[in-house]
Amino acid sequence: MNNRVLVTGSSRGIGKAIALKLAAAGYDIALHYHSNQTAAEATAIEVRALGVNVSLLKFDVAERVAAKATIEADIQTHGAYYGVILNAGINRDTAFPAMTENEWDSVIHTNLDGFYNVIHPCVMPMVQGRKGGRIITLASVSGIAGNRGQVNYSASKAGIIGATKALSLELAKRKITVNCIAPGLIETDMVADIPKDMIEQLVPMRRMGKPYEIAALAAFLMSDDAAYITRQVISVNGGMI
């Protein structure tokens, strides 16, 4: 059985933690990055050290033609993915009245259009392989509850939740599960500037989550033990909602 998994945005942060966790579980990794080749190559070295194969894929998830071409070439060379984890995303936070067109468009194109641009080229090869599979998307607490200063980000992540649920219905009979992880405040560059006292006010557990805590759930959802779990949005947020 082909046990390769594509993880977008996996050169650092949550994506890197997921790639390493899956590699430790024996999955070969298609490691995607956008621009930081140095970080991607360093992560690839760590993944290979766990005894699995790695391919590096460079493209912008917001660029449909490039994403499709790169993914299809990788599938042509190595075969269909067993799993796809849509992790890559950006934020451009500002109050809505001051939000520019670019701040809206860049977040929607990357986070929401990225769902189509990445997953669409992967689905039919997974279906045609007749071996089942796993698709995991990354949303956010902001996509469930909304957050001030993040109208664009909340919209994109809420869209991912809806798309995930709909796609799960289409693929369930193919034994391909489709689930969503909705992290809260996780220790990554995206939330590095949030003051500690604010974290203690927002999070009942009074701390940020760790990337490996997201990776642990992703690894479970990728496993055979999760074969009957689909169409779910699972929050990992220390009790925020």
Side-chain angles (χ1 to χ4, degrees), residues 7-20 31 43 85 87-88 211:
V7 186
T8 66
S10 48
S11 64
R12 57 197 176 96
I14 291 173
K16 176 179 179 178
I18 291 173
L20 290 172
L31 196 156
T43 299
I85 298 184
N87 166 74

Side-chain angles (χ1 to χ4, degrees), residues 137-148 150-165 179-185 214 217 231-241:
T137 62
L138 274 288
S140 168
V141 63
S142 296
I144 298 173
N147 190 32
R148 64 183 64 192
Q150 289 192 319
V151 173
N152 49 359
Y153 188 75
S154 296
S156 69
K157 293 301 188 177
I160 283 177
I161 289 171
T164 299
K165 289 184 174 183
N179 292 291
C180 181
I181 300 173
L185 298 176
I214 305 299
L217 176 56
R231 204 186 181 191
Q232 303 305 304
V233 180
I234 304 175
S235 296
V236 184
N237 60 33
M240 290 179 70
I241 56 172

